[in-house]
Amino acid sequence: MAVRPAETGPPPKDHYLNSGYGIKSWLLTTDHKRIAILYLISITFFFAIGGLMAVLIRMELATPEGDLFQSDTYNRLFTMHGIMMIFFFLIPSIPAVLGNFLVPIMVGARDLAFPRLNLMSWYIFNLGGLFTIWALLHGGVDTGWTFYTPYSTRYANTHVIATGLGIFIAGFSSILTGLNFVVTIHRMRAPGLTWFRLPLFIWAMYATSLIIILGTPVLAVTLLLLVAERLFRIGIFDASLGGDPLLFQHLFWFYSHPAVYIMILPAMGVVSEIVPAFARKKIFGYRFIAYSSLGLAVLSFLVWAHHMFVAGMSIYAAAVFSALSMLVAVPSAVKVFNWTATLYQGSVSWETPMLYALGFIGLFTMGGLTGVMLASLGIDVHVHDTYFIIAHFHYIMVGGAIMGYLGGLHYWWPKITGKLYPRFWSRISAMVIFIGFNVTFFPQFILGYLGMPRRYHVYPPEFQVLNVMSSAGATILGVGYLIPLIYFIWSMRYGPHASENPWGVVGLEWETTSPPPTDNFEETPVVTTGPYEYPQAGEVAGVL
């Protein structure tokens, strides 16, 4: 019978958190773990700004009349909400925070391949954020997060250039982080850690890094061309100057659809770690899940034009992109099937990370199925630019990516800080977030199907009930997000000390102290088994 591991234990004498004190030891650190903490602080700040915009949007939409904001102010609110959440929270969330902290430890390395480059990435990210904050403080931007031309290049009177430059600069941070991960995974694995002994989180980060490296430069070039046309009136996208507005949409979505997988693939990697950990089972279909991550990375570059079905493309091209978009469902379904099969006959424990993982599976499945609907030409044309799109997008991004991020934070928080958080409140918050999310966004499927367009702050009175329900759900969701913020901060000072392995799970990160030493391991680990070698069913009764 397996021995029940201790959840608490004495703190290690030396670890990365007490290796140096003072702000200089943090701002000049090259320790990947400290840089992950710096990213955590940065993206939490940007999430708070994006969340504030969402609160204001939902307040406005509580009544059919535009009685709180003018139209142009409302345009700026939803634009800045999208930009903050997508470029400064969702895209860097899991890679920059959990990836930075865990990738070297999970492969048995002392640090990332380029530690100074890693620190520089954080500074570049914040520089991009400062540009965008400057634009926000000086009036913001009203083009929508998609910056569609020629509105963004000719007609908008807001801070398009400053915002575009902010995103352009932050993009370099993503590229450098992705490059660091790829080189680290290729060159710095511990002895015995072959490709098919890698944790699935590493496979997900590897696939994500490939998308970042290949896709982000396209967005950077697109934004540069946008700025050039706006500044110098060069005819690139503006038809009146000899340009082609559809070219912008092709270039923008060539990056921005793969960007969806930059946000969701890492969350899938987190769920692939949590499910076997709290089912006490070897994950079902390891290689299929690993290959499906790469499959999603490849397919993500082939489906961009399904955002443009109403842009005048030929019916034959639309049919091809429709079929390719539906093909994305295959690797996604492979993951969901294998997670479910892993749960079957597992010794499932309802720890907080598992609640988030199960929430992810349900909400992502909902978002994925509606994605298949949107890949169908007839349905996409019917609900194009309606709240159905908003609901689908948030089921993937909030229901998927943020649930995965929160699940990962709760799973690895004892390792990151060496402290345990209150289980009762963490379970309450997970349930509040799940309920609040569904009350917020499910009514938007109905609103969209009934024809309510997105990006309008005035709407017919018959839509008010569903909008009030959505705003009430957003309030519940906001409370759900505040609870973890409070108990995580509380736990850093008052939480019990975590043992090396408080969950009693397998993985290199659980073989070092909590929190880890500066060099991660006292000795370089040697890997001799696969990543999810849990005891057989009859042996796990005493675990946790």
Side-chain angles (χ1 to χ4, degrees):
M1 180 173 290
V3 177
R4 183 187 177 94
E7 295 178 2
T8 60
K13 183 179 178 182
D14 298 311
H15 51 80
Y16 79 98
L17 290 173
N18 67 6
S19 64
Y21 296 97
I23 193 167
K24 186 177 175 182
S25 72
W26 282 89
L27 295 181
L28 298 180
T29 184
T30 54
D31 185 336
H32 66 99
K33 299 179 290 298
R34 286 193 166 207
I35 294 171
I37 301 291
L38 294 174
Y39 267 115
L40 176 63
I41 296 169
S42 295
I43 68 164
T44 303
F45 171 71
F46 292 122
F47 176 79
I49 296 175
L52 176 63
M53 302 295 163
V55 168
L56 298 175
I57 291 169
R58 289 315 318 175
M59 287 172 62
E60 171 60 64
L61 291 175
T63 59
E65 300 83 16
D67 44 12
L68 197 58
F69 301 111
Q70 299 294 320
S71 299
D72 59 342
T73 306
Y74 185 78
N75 290 347
R76 297 172 197 225
L77 285 175
F78 70 69
T79 299
M80 295 307 293
H81 166 71
I83 288 170
M84 282 295 168
M85 286 300 196
I86 292 171
F87 295 109
F88 294 97
F89 174 70
L90 283 168
I91 286 179
S93 59
I94 296 179
V97 178
L98 298 178
N100 243 319
F101 193 93
L102 292 164
V103 166
I105 301 178
M106 280 183 153
V107 302
R110 291 174 179 271
D111 207 319
L112 286 170
F114 308 111
R116 291 186 176 85
L117 205 62
N118 195 25
L119 178 63
M120 191 171 83
S121 301
W122 178 72
Y123 278 106
I124 291 174
F125 174 73
N126 284 297
L127 181 63
L130 287 176
F131 263 89
T132 311
I133 293 289
W134 181 92
L136 172 67
L137 294 176
H138 288 77
V141 64
D142 64 349
T143 59
W145 75 277
T146 50
F147 293 98
Y148 271 6
T149 57
Y151 181 69
S152 59
T153 55
R154 172 177 283 266
Y155 301 105
N157 294 317
T158 51
H159 295 282
V160 177
I161 294 178
T163 311
L165 282 177
I167 297 169
F168 175 81
I169 293 168
F172 282 95
S173 169
S174 294
I175 294 170
L176 295 178
T177 300
L179 182 68
N180 230 334
F181 287 171
V182 167
V183 176
T184 303
I185 294 168
H186 268 276
R187 304 295 300 172
M188 298 177 69
R189 301 193 307 274
L193 188 58
T194 60
W195 279 95
F196 290 109
R197 286 178 176 170
L198 284 173
L200 288 167
F201 179 75
I202 298 298
W203 276 99
M205 293 309 306
Y206 185 78
T208 304
S209 300
L210 293 180
I211 301 175
I212 290 173
I213 293 170
L214 296 174
T216 308
V218 178
L219 177 69
V221 169
T222 307
L223 291 175
L224 272 185
L225 293 175
L226 184 153
V227 170
E229 180 167 281
R230 188 174 174 87
L231 279 178
F232 306 114
R233 313 308 304 159
I234 302 170
I236 304 170
F237 305 122
D238 189 340
S240 66
L241 299 173
D244 181 359
L246 282 185
L247 174 62
F248 177 85
Q249 294 190 32
H250 280 292
L251 291 173
F252 181 83
W253 288 115
F254 185 80
Y255 164 80
S256 295
H257 192 80
V260 170
Y261 298 92
I262 294 174
M263 295 179 254
I264 198 67
L265 262 173
M268 291 172 164
V270 170
V271 172
S272 297
E273 297 300 315
I274 293 175
V275 168
F278 295 102
R280 302 295 171 190
K281 274 183 67 184
K282 187 175 182 177
I283 197 159
F284 187 86
Y286 168 87
R287 292 199 179 206
F288 281 97
I289 297 178
Y291 287 137
S292 67
S293 294
L294 297 178
L296 280 172
V298 172
L299 286 173
S300 70
F301 284 105
L302 304 177
V303 298
W304 77 91
H306 73 218
H307 295 274
M308 302 166 57
F309 284 158
V310 298
M313 70 166 58
S314 82
I315 190 67
Y316 302 107
V320 170
F321 279 105
S322 173
L324 286 170
S325 301
M326 290 187 184
L327 198 59
V328 173
V330 175
S332 302
V334 165
K335 289 181 183 294
V336 173
F337 172 79
N338 284 299
W339 293 329
T340 310
T342 305
L343 292 172
Y344 179 65
Q345 291 192 335
S347 181
V348 177
S349 57
W350 304 101
E351 296 292 347
T352 308
M354 189 60 155
L355 296 181
Y356 280 108
L358 295 175
F360 172 95
I361 293 172
L363 298 178
F364 171 75
T365 301
M366 186 78 172
L369 290 174
T370 51
V372 174
M373 292 171 64
L374 292 172
S376 307
L377 290 170
I379 295 178
D380 185 85
V381 171
H382 175 64
V383 299
H384 188 84
D385 261 347
T386 69
Y387 263 84
F388 194 95
I389 305 297
I390 300 291
H392 159 71
F393 185 72
H394 282 81
Y395 263 79
I396 297 292
M397 293 296 96
V398 181
I402 296 185
M403 292 292 273
Y405 174 63
L406 289 174
L409 266 187
H410 284 82
Y411 183 49
W412 284 295
W413 187 260
K415 182 58 60 180
I416 293 171
T417 64
K419 295 296 185 72
L420 298 174
Y421 51 80
R423 287 185 176 181
F424 172 77
W425 285 109
S426 63
R427 286 170 174 156
I428 291 291
S429 71
M431 288 186 285
V432 169
I433 288 172
F434 185 81
I435 294 169
F437 172 83
N438 281 291
V439 176
T440 303
F441 292 106
F442 190 82
Q444 296 180 14
F445 278 125
I446 305 171
L447 282 169
Y449 192 79
L450 293 175
M452 179 170 168
R454 61 177 177 170
R455 298 179 174 176
Y456 281 69
H457 72 310
V458 178
Y459 56 84
E462 58 262 36
F463 292 147
Q464 186 175 14
V465 172
L466 291 169
N467 269 300
V468 169
M469 189 183 298
S470 195
S471 294
T475 307
I476 299 171
L477 188 59
V479 171
Y481 287 146
L482 275 177
I483 298 173
L485 180 66
I486 294 169
Y487 64 67
F488 275 150
I489 294 173
W490 177 90
S491 74
M492 286 191 288
R493 184 171 180 84
Y494 301 106
H497 289 289
S499 66
E500 284 186 3
N501 190 357
W503 304 118
V505 294
V506 299
L508 283 181
E509 75 270 32
W510 303 107
E511 295 180 9
T512 187
T513 58
S514 302
T518 301
D519 291 334
N520 294 339
F521 301 95
E522 292 184 2
E523 296 179 0
T524 302
V526 177
V527 180
T528 57
T529 62
Y532 305 105
E533 298 296 336
Y534 284 96
Q536 297 301 308
E539 300 175 323
V540 299
V543 178
L544 280 186

